[in-house]
Amino acid sequence: MDKIRVSLLGATGMVGQKMVRILADHPYIDLVKLSASQSRIGKEYGKTVNWIEQGPIPERYRNMALVSASPEDHRDVDYVLSALPPEAAEGIELKLIKRGINVISNASPFRMSEDVPLINPELNFNHLKILEDKETKYVKNPNCTSAIMAMPLSEILGIDYRRISIVSMQAISGAGYSGLPYMSIDDNIVPYIHGEEEKIPAEISKMYGSVENGKIKNRKMRVNVTSVRVPVKVGHMGVINIETDIDPDLEKLKQNMVNFAPLKGFHGLYTAPDHPLVVHEEEDRPQNALDTYNGMEVHVGRVSYRDGIIRMVVLGNNLVRGAAGITVLTMETMKQMNLI
């Protein structure tokens, strides 16, 4: 099998490091180039990265010289994977696309463009079909919280609900390695995260949208979000309340989540979990300390119904399901759909 040659923008950041680790032993995606900021170009990855991933830097990349983000340095790869911060991503990714270089990106610019698929593979891999006639392919992954909170909602949207309310409790790693001062979060909870309360409903509506005339039409949904930053390193948790006029069958709902496996028809999805939704019966689960290991699974617990409201607690690894892992799974899915 010919390997897919990829390069990685933002390779020294937290998401970039996670992607380096995931791709180090991938059977058919070959990470051949690493890119970082202008000041690091030409330096060896191992000597310039502040490596915070568990375990050592994969040997192959330790001495690899970093390249620029310029299209000239990425013309010989099949795809560029972007883990850039949003302020850098917009201009750099547009230059790559205009030069005919395919991009799969974690960054927020253009996520809501109707001709750019926003992919959470288990939920909307069919949206990738709008790329079939495009010579240059541009794909976005959702915001880390959107990606996690959207997963169990597929089992909710089939019932008669009125409104969905989410309170997200987001780990400090969601702000980047140096994104939040220690004195701001130590022994503290910050009840606001800029932009999150607007992004999450919009992105969930797009993920659950439909393809019409080669574009994505967002689904009309009533989703209210309150976003809170909490002093944990990894793992975004959400308390989801769904207002409904029906008396739901909770056991059937939970069993549907356990059986949720929309990608089972594909083969060769190296990053896909066997069970994307893990349902916990214990009253004190899920927990960040127990359930945010390096997996793509989304954990669901405390599923209950009272006074017209279905409640559940949802947790996922924001750096894996919410970022690096979802990028790799998107590429794997595209290959199985013959889009690569």
Side-chain angles (χ1 to χ4, degrees):
M1 178 192 299
D2 290 337
K3 290 193 172 185
I4 306 168
R5 288 169 52 86
V6 302
S7 56
L8 173 60
L9 307 182
T12 58
M14 295 182 71
V15 174
Q17 292 180 36
K18 188 72 72 177
M19 214 173 297
V20 167
R21 185 188 61 76
I22 292 172
L23 291 175
D25 298 310
H26 198 283
Y28 58 84
I29 300 176
D30 190 10
L31 178 58
V32 297
K33 291 186 178 184
L34 304 176
S35 173
S37 59
Q38 191 73 22
S39 63
R40 302 185 184 196
I41 295 172
K43 296 181 180 179
E44 292 182 8
Y45 185 68
K47 292 182 178 179
T48 188
V49 66
N50 179 20
W51 186 259
I52 59 173
E53 269 290 295
Q54 291 183 347
I57 300 171
E59 189 61 34
R60 177 183 179 187
Y61 303 110
R62 186 178 300 276
N63 300 320
M64 183 176 283
L66 293 165
V67 302
S68 76
S70 170
E72 285 69 27
D73 278 341
H74 302 273
R75 296 187 65 82
D76 57 345
V77 301
D78 299 307
Y79 269 79
V80 170
L81 308 181
S82 175
L84 291 171
E87 61 272 13
E90 181 171 355
I92 289 172
E93 292 175 8
L94 275 183
K95 287 180 181 178
L96 292 166
I97 293 296
K98 288 179 180 179
R99 295 290 291 273
I101 299 171
N102 303 306
V103 176
I104 302 177
S105 171
N106 267 285
S108 58
F110 307 109
R111 276 186 187 148
M112 298 309 297
S113 297
E114 60 183 3
D115 57 348
V116 177
L118 181 70
I119 299 299
N120 200 352
E122 286 92 344
L123 301 184
N124 64 336
F125 66 86
N126 60 304
H127 288 187
L128 290 165
K129 293 179 180 179
I130 72 170
L131 302 174
E132 288 177 336
D133 298 324
K134 295 181 183 289
E135 290 188 12
T136 304
K137 296 175 174 58
Y138 193 21
V139 181
K140 287 287 177 175
N141 299 143
N143 167 281
C144 48
T145 312
S146 306
I148 294 165
M149 298 304 137
M151 289 287 285
L153 294 182
S154 62
E155 299 304 320
I156 294 296
L157 299 182
I159 69 174
D160 185 17
Y161 77 96
R162 288 187 290 162
R163 183 188 306 273
I164 299 171
S165 298
I166 302 172
V167 176
S168 67
M169 292 164 280
Q170 299 175 214
I172 55 176
S173 56
Y177 184 73
S178 58
L180 201 67
Y182 173 80
M183 291 299 292
S184 294
I185 196 62
D186 181 50
D187 194 31
N188 192 27
I189 292 174
V190 181
Y192 174 73
I193 305 172
H194 178 72
E196 292 286 298
E197 295 173 0
E198 295 75 35
K199 287 179 188 176
I200 295 168
E203 293 183 15
I204 291 175
S205 296
K206 184 173 181 181
M207 280 184 270
Y208 280 107
S210 57
V211 175
E212 297 185 12
N213 299 317
K215 298 183 184 299
I216 308 299
K217 182 177 180 181
N218 296 355
R219 181 169 181 159
K220 292 183 179 180
M221 299 176 64
R222 302 183 71 183
V223 181
N224 296 324
V225 177
T226 301
S227 292
V228 178
R229 188 73 73 190
V230 294
V232 296
K233 291 182 180 179
V234 176
H236 288 354
M237 178 179 285
V239 178
I240 302 181
N241 289 314
I242 303 101
E243 298 178 28
T244 178
D245 291 324
I246 68 167
D247 187 358
D249 184 338
L250 291 185
E251 291 306 314
K252 181 179 179 181
L253 174 62
K254 288 189 286 186
Q255 192 58 50
N256 286 345
M257 291 183 185
V258 170
N259 296 334
F260 180 69
L263 298 179
K264 64 182 179 181
F266 293 110
H267 301 285
L269 300 184
Y270 184 72
T271 311
D274 292 333
H275 299 284
L277 295 175
V278 178
V279 178
H280 297 271
E281 294 294 344
E282 305 93 327
E283 62 183 9
D284 61 348
R285 297 280 289 278
Q287 294 183 28
N288 290 62
L290 301 175
D291 302 310
T292 54
Y293 42 83
N294 286 323
M296 286 280 283
E297 297 86 357
V298 171
H299 297 260
V300 182
R302 302 201 66 196
V303 181
S304 64
Y305 174 75
R306 183 177 179 182
D307 295 334
I309 295 176
I310 302 170
R311 182 190 64 189
M312 64 183 71
V313 176
V314 179
L315 174 68
N317 189 313
N318 54 296
L319 299 178
V320 183
R321 167 58 67 174
I326 201 173
T327 299
V328 179
L329 181 55
T330 295
M331 171 161 278
E332 293 171 348
T333 306
M334 290 174 68
K335 177 174 174 55
Q336 299 307 313
M337 293 176 68
N338 297 315
L339 293 170
I340 296 177

